[in-house]
Amino acid sequence: MTPLEPIAAPTENEMPQTNTNNAAMLLATSAFSSLKNAVNLANIKPVGGFLDKDKISLPAITDIPSRVKTNLVYYHTNYIMIFLVLAVVSAFFNVSFMISLIFVGALWFYVFKWRTEPFKINQTEVPHKVTFGVLLAITLVLFYFTSIASVLFTIIIITVIFVALHSLFYTPEQVDEFGFNSGLPDQVPTAFAQV
């Protein structure tokens, strides 16, 4: 029997190489999947139920927190869609906004989704944090010079005001903690009553 030999630590050349874009890919993918889950088109409530003028009422002061919370949870997809519709309409009326959004979106997509190898300058790999910082700086400078910040600020303010007013004054649907309409019909159909 041979004695056990100690295992030597791997040298720097033997260490597995990791992709520096993995963290950015994970962050971008999780952010995109969160947004995708939040804007699941199956969760959009019908416009007739969302904007029913008969359900607008002044809440009692004690009902305000529960009413706002219930409406925010139940209609969150509709609120996000309002923001997106306002952004699309603004993009059509402001050409520099649309061009800037397309350029920035394409740039971020190229760096984090399409490009598989890290950036190199003189055979030196550029760290992911530097790449992210440069992209963020380009985005902010472009937004500053094309006045996108004011357009986005206006869209956000309009959406927040609408959401605040709607969630405060709209009488919420009766739903359980899973988002389903609660309660059973008052009368059971006769076909089921005999079973």
Side-chain angles (χ1 to χ4, degrees):
M1 231 169 124
T2 62
L4 294 176
E5 297 178 12
I7 299 175
T11 63
E12 190 174 311
N13 293 338
E14 295 172 344
M15 293 292 286
Q17 297 294 321
T18 59
N19 188 354
T20 57
N21 285 338
N22 283 346
M25 291 293 288
L26 183 62
L27 180 66
T29 304
S30 74
F32 181 71
S33 66
S34 305
L35 181 63
K36 185 177 167 185
N37 290 337
V39 187
N40 186 353
L41 295 180
N43 292 335
I44 294 179
K45 307 303 182 229
V47 175
F50 180 62
L51 299 174
D52 187 5
K53 65 181 178 181
D54 296 332
K55 290 192 172 193
I56 295 176
S57 65
L58 191 62
I61 293 178
T62 56
D63 293 338
I64 290 175
S66 65
R67 179 181 278 201
V68 169
K69 181 181 175 185
T70 302
N71 280 332
L72 288 176
V73 169
Y74 191 70
Y75 292 115
H76 71 279
T77 306
N78 291 56
Y79 296 145
I80 292 171
M81 290 304 294
I82 286 174
F83 174 79
L84 294 176
V85 166
L86 285 173
V88 168
V89 169
S90 297
F92 283 121
F93 287 116
N94 189 344
V95 178
S96 65
F97 177 70
M98 183 171 34
I99 292 171
S100 298
L101 282 180
I102 290 171
F103 177 75
V104 167
L107 185 65
W108 283 80
F109 179 79
Y110 171 74
V111 170
F112 290 117
K113 284 287 188 186
W114 195 35
R115 188 174 175 83
T116 57
E117 297 177 6
F119 285 103
K120 292 184 179 180
I121 297 176
N122 293 334
Q123 304 300 328
T124 304
E125 188 175 308
V126 177
H128 166 69
K129 290 180 182 179
V130 173
T131 305
F132 185 78
V134 168
L135 277 177
L136 187 61
I138 290 171
T139 302
L140 292 176
V141 167
L142 185 65
F143 281 8
Y144 177 76
F145 284 118
T146 57
S147 70
I148 288 181
S150 64
V151 174
L152 285 176
F153 183 73
T154 304
I155 293 169
I156 289 170
I157 291 298
I158 290 171
T159 305
V160 166
I161 290 171
F162 177 81
V163 168
L165 291 175
H166 184 270
S167 64
L168 179 64
F169 293 114
Y170 195 79
T171 305
E173 298 282 334
Q174 297 298 323
V175 294
D176 60 11
E177 70 251 18
F178 302 109
F180 296 109
N181 289 341
S182 62
L184 295 172
D186 292 335
Q187 295 180 351
V188 177
T190 55
F192 295 112
Q194 297 174 353
V195 175

